[in-house]
Amino acid sequence: MRKAQRTKVRWWRWRRNPLRRHSDVVEARIILATWAAAVVGGAAVGAVVAQAVDGAVQHDRAERRPVAAVMVRGAPSATQDVATGVTYDHVTAEVRWTDTGGTVRTSETSVKAGTAAGSAVTVWTDGRGRLVSGPISSAEAATRVGLAGAGAGLVDGLLILAAGRMVRLRIERQATDQWAVEWDRMGPQGGRRTG
């Protein structure tokens, strides 16, 4: 027994064809418009989000300031996780520093294990004088901006494609209903009524 071969005709919706329906042309235009909107809209949204994230990252990096602090007590020595065997070379310890307003502050931060009391350490503060982690590197900032822009562009493009697919399904459903009406009108024998 021979297997039936399926022939795929590219761009069939755009060619003149006696079997082509109006809904086929509308569907083709919707496909074209959807893909164009997904590409252009995704790129535009991605660029806008990347620019916004870049501004936020640059503002955050500019706001962090290094401050000289002093160890209040000596930091404990390095600890080892019993379960995994990993040695932690940074521990939490109390430090004291003077903020830009002249107020002496104390807080806990991560320091190198075994640092002696009275040792000078550098800590990072935000615009309000609170301790924060150090600023991210330029490479990490670029990665965050790129991932945020690409992710937003991809999500936007997928939403546009999904909306286009919903419209196409509605058109296909209407075309199928129209076929059913025409089929009922023609009858099962191609126009000859039985009975």
Side-chain angles (χ1 to χ4, degrees):
M1 191 170 226
R2 255 177 96 181
K3 186 177 178 183
Q5 290 184 350
R6 184 174 181 214
T7 304
K8 185 168 184 161
V9 179
R10 296 189 186 277
W11 305 104
W12 66 271
R13 289 183 175 102
W14 294 100
R15 296 181 182 180
R16 294 220 176 266
N17 181 335
L19 299 177
R20 183 180 73 176
R21 302 161 298 167
H22 176 68
S23 63
D24 295 331
V25 175
V26 171
E27 189 176 355
R29 289 179 180 162
I30 288 172
I31 291 171
L32 182 63
T34 300
W35 277 97
V39 170
V40 173
V45 167
V48 168
V49 168
Q51 189 174 15
V53 170
D54 184 49
V57 166
Q58 294 307 326
H59 179 282
D60 186 59
R61 289 181 71 196
E63 190 177 67
R64 293 174 190 249
R65 303 268 185 251
V67 175
V70 177
M71 295 288 295
V72 174
R73 289 188 272 303
S77 59
T79 58
Q80 185 173 15
D81 189 337
V82 178
T84 62
V86 174
T87 302
Y88 297 104
D89 60 346
H90 279 77
V91 294
T92 302
E94 191 174 5
V95 295
R96 181 177 52 242
W97 75 98
T98 304
D99 66 12
T100 54
T103 305
V104 175
R105 296 179 179 235
T106 58
S107 184
E108 289 188 346
T109 189
S110 177
V111 295
K112 192 166 183 150
T115 305
S119 298
V121 293
T122 301
V123 294
W124 292 86
T125 60
D126 63 6
R128 297 183 185 118
R130 297 177 300 192
L131 284 183
V132 293
S133 61
I136 61 174
S137 67
S138 296
E140 189 177 350
T143 301
R144 285 185 186 184
V145 168
L147 287 175
L154 181 65
V155 167
D156 181 65
L158 289 174
L159 288 174
I160 291 171
L161 290 175
R165 181 66 180 148
M166 299 281 286
V167 171
R168 284 181 52 213
L169 287 173
R170 183 178 173 101
I171 289 171
E172 287 175 10
R173 193 174 309 122
Q174 289 174 348
T176 302
D177 292 344
Q178 187 178 3
W179 274 359
V181 168
E182 290 174 12
W183 185 258
D184 287 342
R185 196 173 352 149
M186 291 298 291
Q189 297 291 324
R192 288 185 285 162
R193 300 235 176 231
T194 58

